[in-house]
Amino acid sequence: MPEEQSQTIMAVDELQAIIQRCQVLEETDFKGEDFDLFQVAGQKCLEDGYAAQLLEVIQNEKNKVIIKNMGWNLISPLVRCIFTYKQEDDKREHCLKILDQLAQLCNPKELFLGLLEQIEQTSGEQACQTVMLLLQPLQTVLLKLQNKKAYSVGLSLAMIMNQLTPLPVPYTKQQIQEDKLGLCQCCNAVVDFAKPFVNEVVKNMEKSSEYNDMELKEELLKFCMKSLKYPLLTAQLEQLEGIEEHPFRHFATEIIDILWNIGELIPLVFLHRKGKSPHWENQEFADIEQKNSADSLACLSYLMFVQHFGIDCFPMVFSPSYLLQCNMMHIEVLLKRTEESMLSKGLDLFESCLLRMEDNSLLHQYLEFRDFINVPQDLVKVMTLCPIEHLRKKSLNILQMFIDKFDAEGKYILFRCLLKTSNHAGVEGYIIKNIKDEIHLSLTAHDNIWFTGHHLISLLDLVLSLPEGAETDLLQNSDRIMASLNLLRYLIIKDCESDNKTGVWTTLAKIEQNFLKPLRVGLNMSKAHYEAEIKNKKENRREAHSANTVCSVTVSGEKMPAMTTKMQLQVLHSALFTFDLIESVLARVEELIEVKIKAVMDENS
């Protein structure tokens, strides 16, 4: 105990000795050695648990000049000590009071750099704690700065967001409630930190409609754009039962409010203004900047049109088709992502825009815009490649909604495009079924030139064909082939040769040459091949005296997981069943053609 008291006296005495020596010096006479000795002595007091004595020294009016010049050196040891003490510890309370005093007394410029350095050095689990600890003193210091205030505010916000961005965003209800790393709390604290600077911009704008000091406004705009990309683009923003105030919904509201208050919300949503983008000599940096901006704007559109944040500010003068056009670039950005949170936002935004529209109201001219062609192709990729089932199903429903909104010519153009680009038999089969429905409407309800006559014949050339003739992989293309056969069967039954509204009878010889005959040859070849494979497998199984011999199988160039001979036989029999199904429909089509042609010949004879 006496030894501890001796160390206490040493630490405090050392600090007092330095203070007394500096008290008699002019501010301009302080030397580097004085700064070092003050920092070492102050750090020792903190580390040895004598924050109360250090606080007394700092609060002493006689030491005001010394603290003003040297106090900022204590920030680093002070932050370390605060995190070592428990929440209820008196020593922690003394440290917090010291931090508050330093914010009031220190040279703003020096303390600003000291605080920023602490934020820059933090990472991982302590990032949010450090940021929240230093936000108040940092705000106090920034409000005191006279020169380069906008730059300093921007640097502070950028540094804070850079430290938060690597942290995982809580997504599930449980993760949001637990908020293990404190990200939810920290994000909203950062918005509160920015509010005085937002108010400053608003006051200046109110004073003069020709407000020229754009620097602070631009820094706040950059902060909002960063916040839209992270955490809001990744965050789950639906209302969650059991969470009274969703932290990310609150954060989103605050960001939208800032954009509205500084006059940037409507320009961002409708004019796609990105603020002042820096001129990058390096093209890679320019591309990153453009991508980040695109992500942020996509998130902003989602917040407004799906979650209805800021909807009260929304001018109700735009047509649904114009809103869809404005949002297609954002939908494309989101659908190209693979993360569930972003994909779901893209689908929700697309659905929201389509629900505003009447069926058959979207003019075909919109397909001249690149986004209107790219987005359905991206949607097809989600339908076929996304591992998340509910997103695959939703994307299929949205594709159908998108098709339904177009006029007849628009549907026609879209069908042609998707047949050429989807490269997926299931999707092609789905499009062919849509073509059949449009032909049915044209024949039974209202005639239109796009799904009858020469336009339809051109479309049938795409539909009623085999990609590689008789060599086509019939198993892989079975969905498309079945849909094509069903369409052809429908046309032959529904459209009499005497009427020939669809033109199918005019082009029947071509259909037989390019589709039916190669299909018959391909079926015979495929069935023979698979029957031979089955025979071979059965013989091999008998030789091995075991039904559980493990073999490998290659399908469409990809090696499948190891399968027993029994499992392989099941796959081969399933393929034969598919061929039989195709063959039965093909036989029915051939029979219908023969009957119809014979009936016409009998009438003519």
Side-chain angles (χ1 to χ4, degrees), residues 168-184 234 236 240 243 246-248:
V169 177
Y171 190 73
T172 66
K173 178 181 173 181
Q174 184 180 348
Q175 288 171 346
I176 291 169
Q177 287 175 321
E178 288 177 358
D179 193 21
K180 279 186 180 177
L181 299 180
L183 183 65
C184 300
T234 308
Q236 160 68 267
L240 297 173
I243 298 182
H246 191 311
F248 289 124

Short mmCIF file of all heavy atoms in Angstrom, two decimals, residues 168-184 234 236 240 243 246-248:
data_model
loop_
_atom_site.label_atom_id
_atom_site.label_comp_id
_atom_site.label_asym_id
_atom_site.label_seq_id
_atom_site.Cartn_x
_atom_site.Cartn_y
_atom_site.Cartn_z
N PRO A 168 -20.75 -6.04 -40.38
CA PRO A 168 -21.94 -6.69 -40.95
C PRO A 168 -23.21 -5.97 -40.49
O PRO A 168 -23.32 -5.57 -39.33
CB PRO A 168 -21.88 -8.12 -40.38
CG PRO A 168 -21.06 -8.00 -39.13
CD PRO A 168 -20.08 -6.90 -39.37
N VAL A 169 -24.16 -5.80 -41.41
CA VAL A 169 -25.41 -5.12 -41.09
C VAL A 169 -26.40 -6.13 -40.52
O VAL A 169 -26.69 -7.14 -41.17
CB VAL A 169 -26.01 -4.45 -42.35
CG1 VAL A 169 -27.35 -3.79 -42.03
CG2 VAL A 169 -25.03 -3.43 -42.92
N PRO A 170 -26.92 -5.92 -39.30
CA PRO A 170 -27.93 -6.83 -38.75
C PRO A 170 -29.13 -6.93 -39.71
O PRO A 170 -29.64 -5.91 -40.17
CB PRO A 170 -28.34 -6.15 -37.43
CG PRO A 170 -27.20 -5.26 -37.07
CD PRO A 170 -26.61 -4.81 -38.38
N TYR A 171 -29.57 -8.16 -40.00
CA TYR A 171 -30.60 -8.34 -41.02
C TYR A 171 -31.89 -8.95 -40.45
O TYR A 171 -32.98 -8.48 -40.73
CB TYR A 171 -30.05 -9.21 -42.15
CG TYR A 171 -30.94 -9.27 -43.37
CD1 TYR A 171 -31.03 -8.16 -44.22
CD2 TYR A 171 -31.68 -10.40 -43.68
CE1 TYR A 171 -31.85 -8.19 -45.34
CE2 TYR A 171 -32.50 -10.44 -44.80
CZ TYR A 171 -32.58 -9.33 -45.63
OH TYR A 171 -33.39 -9.37 -46.74
N THR A 172 -31.74 -10.00 -39.65
CA THR A 172 -32.93 -10.64 -39.09
C THR A 172 -33.45 -9.85 -37.90
O THR A 172 -32.75 -9.00 -37.34
CB THR A 172 -32.62 -12.08 -38.64
OG1 THR A 172 -31.70 -12.03 -37.53
CG2 THR A 172 -32.00 -12.90 -39.77
N LYS A 173 -34.69 -10.15 -37.50
CA LYS A 173 -35.31 -9.48 -36.36
C LYS A 173 -34.45 -9.65 -35.11
O LYS A 173 -34.20 -8.69 -34.37
CB LYS A 173 -36.71 -10.05 -36.13
CG LYS A 173 -37.43 -9.47 -34.93
CD LYS A 173 -38.79 -10.12 -34.75
CE LYS A 173 -39.46 -9.69 -33.47
NZ LYS A 173 -40.77 -10.35 -33.28
N GLN A 174 -33.96 -10.87 -34.89
CA GLN A 174 -33.14 -11.15 -33.71
C GLN A 174 -31.83 -10.35 -33.74
O GLN A 174 -31.41 -9.77 -32.73
CB GLN A 174 -32.84 -12.64 -33.61
CG GLN A 174 -32.06 -13.02 -32.34
CD GLN A 174 -31.77 -14.51 -32.27
OE1 GLN A 174 -32.33 -15.30 -33.02
NE2 GLN A 174 -30.91 -14.91 -31.35
N GLN A 175 -31.19 -10.31 -34.91
CA GLN A 175 -29.93 -9.57 -35.04
C GLN A 175 -30.14 -8.08 -34.79
O GLN A 175 -29.32 -7.43 -34.15
CB GLN A 175 -29.34 -9.79 -36.44
CG GLN A 175 -28.78 -11.18 -36.66
CD GLN A 175 -28.42 -11.43 -38.12
OE1 GLN A 175 -28.81 -10.69 -39.02
NE2 GLN A 175 -27.68 -12.50 -38.36
N ILE A 176 -31.24 -7.54 -35.29
CA ILE A 176 -31.53 -6.12 -35.10
C ILE A 176 -31.78 -5.82 -33.62
O ILE A 176 -31.30 -4.82 -33.08
CB ILE A 176 -32.73 -5.69 -35.96
CG1 ILE A 176 -32.35 -5.73 -37.45
CG2 ILE A 176 -33.22 -4.29 -35.59
CD1 ILE A 176 -33.51 -5.59 -38.40
N GLN A 177 -32.52 -6.71 -32.96
CA GLN A 177 -32.80 -6.50 -31.54
C GLN A 177 -31.54 -6.62 -30.68
O GLN A 177 -31.35 -5.85 -29.74
CB GLN A 177 -33.86 -7.50 -31.06
CG GLN A 177 -35.26 -7.18 -31.57
CD GLN A 177 -36.28 -8.25 -31.19
OE1 GLN A 177 -35.99 -9.44 -31.22
NE2 GLN A 177 -37.50 -7.82 -30.87
N GLU A 178 -30.69 -7.58 -31.02
CA GLU A 178 -29.45 -7.76 -30.25
C GLU A 178 -28.45 -6.64 -30.53
O GLU A 178 -27.79 -6.14 -29.63
CB GLU A 178 -28.82 -9.12 -30.58
CG GLU A 178 -29.58 -10.30 -30.00
CD GLU A 178 -28.95 -11.63 -30.41
OE1 GLU A 178 -27.96 -11.62 -31.17
OE2 GLU A 178 -29.46 -12.68 -29.97
N ASP A 179 -28.31 -6.27 -31.80
CA ASP A 179 -27.38 -5.20 -32.21
C ASP A 179 -26.02 -5.37 -31.52
O ASP A 179 -25.53 -4.46 -30.84
CB ASP A 179 -27.99 -3.83 -31.90
CG ASP A 179 -27.24 -2.68 -32.58
OD1 ASP A 179 -26.54 -2.94 -33.57
OD2 ASP A 179 -27.34 -1.54 -32.10
N LYS A 180 -25.44 -6.52 -31.71
CA LYS A 180 -24.22 -6.91 -30.97
C LYS A 180 -23.10 -5.89 -31.07
O LYS A 180 -22.44 -5.58 -30.08
CB LYS A 180 -23.72 -8.28 -31.45
CG LYS A 180 -24.47 -9.45 -30.84
CD LYS A 180 -23.84 -10.77 -31.25
CE LYS A 180 -24.59 -11.93 -30.63
NZ LYS A 180 -24.03 -13.24 -31.07
N LEU A 181 -22.85 -5.39 -32.24
CA LEU A 181 -21.74 -4.45 -32.43
C LEU A 181 -22.15 -2.99 -32.23
O LEU A 181 -21.31 -2.09 -32.29
CB LEU A 181 -21.13 -4.63 -33.83
CG LEU A 181 -20.54 -6.02 -34.13
CD1 LEU A 181 -19.99 -6.06 -35.54
CD2 LEU A 181 -19.45 -6.37 -33.13
N GLY A 182 -23.45 -2.76 -32.01
CA GLY A 182 -23.93 -1.40 -31.77
C GLY A 182 -24.12 -0.58 -33.03
O GLY A 182 -24.25 0.65 -32.97
N LEU A 183 -24.18 -1.23 -34.21
CA LEU A 183 -24.27 -0.49 -35.47
C LEU A 183 -25.58 0.28 -35.59
O LEU A 183 -25.59 1.43 -36.06
CB LEU A 183 -24.12 -1.46 -36.66
CG LEU A 183 -24.13 -0.80 -38.04
CD1 LEU A 183 -22.92 0.10 -38.22
CD2 LEU A 183 -24.18 -1.85 -39.15
N CYS A 184 -26.71 -0.34 -35.20
CA CYS A 184 -28.01 0.34 -35.30
C CYS A 184 -28.00 1.63 -34.50
O CYS A 184 -28.40 2.70 -34.99
CB CYS A 184 -29.12 -0.58 -34.79
SG CYS A 184 -29.27 -2.15 -35.67
N THR A 234 -28.18 -2.63 -47.74
CA THR A 234 -28.07 -4.01 -47.24
C THR A 234 -29.14 -4.31 -46.19
O THR A 234 -29.51 -5.47 -45.99
CB THR A 234 -26.67 -4.22 -46.61
OG1 THR A 234 -25.69 -3.81 -47.56
CG2 THR A 234 -26.44 -5.66 -46.24
N GLN A 236 -32.49 -4.75 -43.78
CA GLN A 236 -33.89 -5.19 -43.88
C GLN A 236 -34.75 -4.02 -43.42
O GLN A 236 -34.66 -3.57 -42.29
CB GLN A 236 -34.09 -6.41 -42.98
CG GLN A 236 -35.52 -6.71 -42.59
CD GLN A 236 -36.35 -7.15 -43.76
OE1 GLN A 236 -37.01 -6.30 -44.39
NE2 GLN A 236 -36.33 -8.42 -44.08
N LEU A 240 -41.10 -4.84 -38.81
CA LEU A 240 -40.96 -6.13 -38.13
C LEU A 240 -41.80 -6.14 -36.87
O LEU A 240 -41.71 -5.22 -36.04
CB LEU A 240 -39.49 -6.38 -37.79
CG LEU A 240 -38.53 -6.51 -38.97
CD1 LEU A 240 -37.09 -6.58 -38.50
CD2 LEU A 240 -38.86 -7.73 -39.82
N ILE A 243 -40.86 -5.00 -32.99
CA ILE A 243 -39.87 -3.91 -32.93
C ILE A 243 -40.63 -2.60 -33.11
O ILE A 243 -41.08 -2.27 -34.22
CB ILE A 243 -38.77 -4.06 -34.00
CG1 ILE A 243 -37.99 -5.36 -33.79
CG2 ILE A 243 -37.82 -2.87 -33.96
CD1 ILE A 243 -36.87 -5.58 -34.78
N HIS A 246 -38.07 0.56 -35.57
CA HIS A 246 -37.03 -0.13 -36.35
C HIS A 246 -35.86 0.85 -36.55
O HIS A 246 -36.03 1.91 -37.18
CB HIS A 246 -37.64 -0.53 -37.69
CG HIS A 246 -36.80 -1.47 -38.50
ND1 HIS A 246 -35.46 -1.25 -38.73
CD2 HIS A 246 -37.11 -2.63 -39.13
CE1 HIS A 246 -35.00 -2.23 -39.49
NE2 HIS A 246 -35.98 -3.08 -39.74
N PRO A 247 -34.66 0.52 -36.04
CA PRO A 247 -33.54 1.48 -36.10
C PRO A 247 -33.16 1.90 -37.52
O PRO A 247 -32.83 3.06 -37.76
CB PRO A 247 -32.39 0.75 -35.41
CG PRO A 247 -32.76 -0.69 -35.42
CD PRO A 247 -34.25 -0.74 -35.38
N PHE A 248 -33.21 0.97 -38.47
CA PHE A 248 -32.82 1.32 -39.83
C PHE A 248 -33.91 2.10 -40.56
O PHE A 248 -33.63 2.93 -41.42
CB PHE A 248 -32.41 0.08 -40.63
CG PHE A 248 -31.11 -0.51 -40.17
CD1 PHE A 248 -31.02 -1.84 -39.77
CD2 PHE A 248 -29.96 0.27 -40.10
CE1 PHE A 248 -29.81 -2.37 -39.34
CE2 PHE A 248 -28.75 -0.26 -39.66
CZ PHE A 248 -28.68 -1.58 -39.28
#
